[in-house]
C-alpha cells in the first residue's frame, strides 16, 4: 500500500514513531494508502531543516526565487492529469473539477507569487522640513507555519506556501490528514524544480498532534491557517502568549441575495454552482439563498428542476457534477444538519438522501439538498454545514434582505443578484463580508485581498497582502543635515 511520507530537508522520510494513519478514498469508502502519523519530533526535524535553510534562501536573489517558483508552476501544469486524479481519489471531488480548477489554481498560485515578488516594494516617507527620511525595510520573518484544510487540498496548500517562500521564508507546512496526497506528490516537484533543501518541509499527521506542534513551536514565528472557526480559535489561543503573527481564514455562512430585477437565467445557472460546487464544500459557497418574494415561487420551481438534473456519480465519470463527500464522519455531520433543519420546521424541497452509485456502493454520496426555512435564527441558517445543503428564505425589501444577510456570526463572502446600480453600491458597503460578488460568484483575481470579517477570520491573504503578512516591516529613520550656508 502507498505510503504518504513526510518531505523534510528535500527528501521523503518515514515518521519517527513508525506509526501510520489510514487514508480513505471517499468515492469507494476504502483505505488506499497510509499516512505518516507525525509528532512534535518530526515537526522539530522539519523546523531544524527550515532554520538551516533560511540564511541562504532569504539571501537568494528575487530573480532566482522567482525562477524556481515559476518552474514549480510549470511542473504542476505538466503533471495536471496525475495530480487531478490524485485529488479526486483523495477528496471525492469530480476529476473534471480538479482538472479545471484545483490543479490549475495550484499552478497559478506559484506563478502569481513568483511574479508578484519581483514587483513587491516598500514605502518611503520623507518628513519634509525635519530633514528626516523614513523607509520601510521588509524582511522575511524566518520559519513560518502553514496549515490547510481538505476541501481544496493542493489549491489552498499552495495559496499559503507560495507567498511564504516567495518572500524568503522557510516553511513547515501541514495539509489536512483527510487529503494529504497531492501535497505529498508536490515534494517530487519541489525537488525537480531545484528548490533548495529545507525551504519547504511538509509534515503529515493529525491536526491536534502535528498541527498543534507547529502552532506551539516557540520559534515558528507566524502561522497562516485555513480551516474551521473552532480550530482557528484554538490556534489563536495557543499562539497568543507567544505573540505570533497570525492569518486565519475560517468558516463561512454566505448569503446569496436574489432580487427580482436580476438577470434571471444567469443568476439561476450560477446559483446552482455556488450552492453545490465541490459538493458544497467550499468556504465561499452561497449556502443561504434569500430571494425576493415576487419571484420566489418561480425561483424555487426552476432551481429545484436544475438541481435535480445534476449528475451524482463517481469522480472519474466525465459527466459527474457531484462526487462523494470527503469522509464518512463529514457525511454523517451533513446528514445530521438535514435532520436538525427538518426538526426546526424546514421543508426539504429536494434531496436529503444518500445515493448508491453503481460499482462505488460504499462511497459517501449525498443528494444535493434544498431546504426552505422560515426562521433566520434556526441552526441550519446560523451554523456552517459545509456540504451540499442550501437553504431558501424570502424577503420583501432590500433592508430586510440586508438584515437577514448580516444576521450571522460569519462574514466571509456574499453574492448579490440585481441590475440596480444604486443597490449594488449600497449593499457592497453594508454587507458584512470580506468579499462581495455582484452578479457573479467565485470570480477571483489573485491580486485582490482575500479573507473574512467577524468569525470568518483575521487578516487578509492574496496579492501583496500575503507578501506583507509573510514579511516583517521595519521603519528605518535617517536624519540628515543641510550643507553649511557658506559651502
Ligand atoms: P479544520 O479546522 O478541522 O482543519 C484545518 C486544518 O487544521 C487541517 O490541516 C487540520 O488537520 C488542522 N488542525 C486541526 N486541529 C488543529 C490544531 N489543534 N492545531 C493545528 N492544526 C489543526 O477544518 P477542515 O479541514 O474540516 O476544513 C473545513 C473548514 O475550513 C470549514 O470550516 C471551511 O469553512 C474552512 N475553510 C475556510 C476557507 C477560507 O478561506 N476562509 C477556505 C476553505 C475552508 P487534520 O485535518 O489533519 O486534523
Amino acid at each position: 500500500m502507498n505510503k504518504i511520507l513526510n518531505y523534510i530537508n528535500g527528501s521523503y522520510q518515514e515518521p519517527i514513531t513508525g506509526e501510520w494513519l489510514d487514508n480513505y478514498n471517499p468515492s469507494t469508502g476504502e483505505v488506499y494508502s497510509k499516512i505518516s502519523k507525525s509528532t512534535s519530533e518530526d515537526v522539530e526535524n522539519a523546523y531544524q531543516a527550515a532554520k538551516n535553510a533560511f540564511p541562504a534562501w532569504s539571501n537568494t536573489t528575487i530573480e532566482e526565487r522567482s525562477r524556481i517558483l515559476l518552474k514549480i508552476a510549470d511542473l504542476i501544469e505538466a503533471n495536471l492529469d496525475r495530480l487531478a486524479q490524485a485529488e479526486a481519489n483523495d477528496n471525492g471531488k469530480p476529476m473534471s473539477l480538479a482538472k479545471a480548477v484545483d490543479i490549475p489554481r495550484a499552478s497559478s498560485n506559484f506563478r502569481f507569487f513568483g511574479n508578484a515578488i519581483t514587483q513587491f516594494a516598500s514605502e518611503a516617507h520623507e518628513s519634509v522640513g525635519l530633514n528626516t527620511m523614513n523607509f520601510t525595510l521588509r524582511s522575511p520573518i524566518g520559519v513560518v507555519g502553514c496549515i490547510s484544510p481538505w476541501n481544496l487540498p493542493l489549491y489552498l496548500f499552495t495559496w499559503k506556501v507560495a507567498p511564504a517562500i516567495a518572500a524568503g521564508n522557510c516553511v513547515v507546512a501541514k495539509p489536512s490528514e483527510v487529503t494529504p496526497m497531492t501535497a505529498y506528490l508536490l515534494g517530487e516537484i519541489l525537488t525537480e524544480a531545484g528548490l533548495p533543501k529545507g525551504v519547504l518541509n511538509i509534515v503529515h499527521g493529525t491536526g491536534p498532534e502535528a498541527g498543534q506542534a507547529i502552532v506551539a513551536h516557540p520559534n515558528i514565528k507566524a502561522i497562516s491557517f485555513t480551516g474551521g472557526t473552532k480550530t482557528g480559535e484554538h490556534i489563536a489561543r495557543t499562539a497568543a502568549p507567544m505573540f505570533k503573527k497570525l492569518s486565519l481564514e475560517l468558516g463561512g455562512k454566505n448569503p446569496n441575495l436574489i432580487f427580482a430585477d436580476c438577470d434571471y437565467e444567469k443568476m439561476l445557472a450560477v446559483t446552482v454552482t455556488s450552492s453545490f460546487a465541490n459538493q458544497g464544500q467550499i468556504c465561499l459557497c452561497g449556502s443561504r439563498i434569500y430571494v425576493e418574494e415576487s419571484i420566489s415561487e418561480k425561483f424555487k420551481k426552476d432551481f429545484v428542476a436544475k438541481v435535480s438534473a445534476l449528475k451524482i456519480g463517481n469522480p472519474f465519470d466525465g459527466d459527474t457534477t457531484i462526487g462523494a463527500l470527503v469522509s464518512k464522519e463529514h457525511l454523517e455531520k451533513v446528514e445530521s444538519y438535514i435532520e436538525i433543519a427538518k426538526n426546526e420546521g424546514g421543508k426539504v424541497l429536494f434531496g436529503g438522501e444518500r445515493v448508491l452509485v453503481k460499482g462505488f456502493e460504499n462511497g459517501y454520496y449525498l443528494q444535493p439538498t434544498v431546504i426552505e426555512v422560515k426562521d433566520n435564527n434556526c441552526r441550519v441558517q446560523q451554523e456552517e454545514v459545509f456540504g451540499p445543503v442550501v437553504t431558501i428564505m424570502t424577503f420583501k425589501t432590500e433592508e430586510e434582505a440586508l438584515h437577514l444577510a448580516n444576521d450571522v456570526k460569519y462574514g466571509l463572502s456574499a453574492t448579490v443578484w440585481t441590475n440596480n446600480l444604486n443597490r449594488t453600491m449600497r449593499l457592497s458597503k453594508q454587507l458584512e463580508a470580506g468579499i462581495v460578488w455582484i452578479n457573479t460568484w467565485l470570480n477571483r483575481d489573485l491580486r485582490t485581498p482575500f479573507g473574512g470579517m467577524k468569525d470568518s477570520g483575521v487578516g487578509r491573504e492574496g496579492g501583496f497582502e500575503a507578501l506583507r503578512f509573510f514579511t516583517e516591516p521595519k521603519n528605518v529613520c535617517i536624519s540628515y543635515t543641510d550643507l553649511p550656508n557658506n559651502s
Side-chain angles (χ1 to χ4, degrees), residues 147-151 156 174-178 205-208 211-212 215 225-229 231 234-235 249-252 283 384 386 412 450 456:
I147 300 175
S148 56
W150 49 254
N151 63 325
L156 289 174
K174 194 195 91 65
S176 169
E177 112 220 17
V178 184
T206 69
Q212 175 72 15
V215 178
F225 168 80
T226 297
T229 295
T231 316
H234 180 79
I235 287 175
E249 305 283 347
L250 309 176
C283 53
E384 188 184 37
F386 211 57
L412 189 54
F450 179 86
S456 290

Side-chain angles (χ1 to χ4, degrees), residues 160 222-226 245-249 458-461 469:
K160 300 183 172 305
I223 303 289
S224 169
F225 168 80
T226 297
K245 214 171 171 186
L246 277 187
S247 168
L248 302 174
E249 305 283 347
V458 178
R460 294 292 184 275
E461 296 186 349
F469 174 75

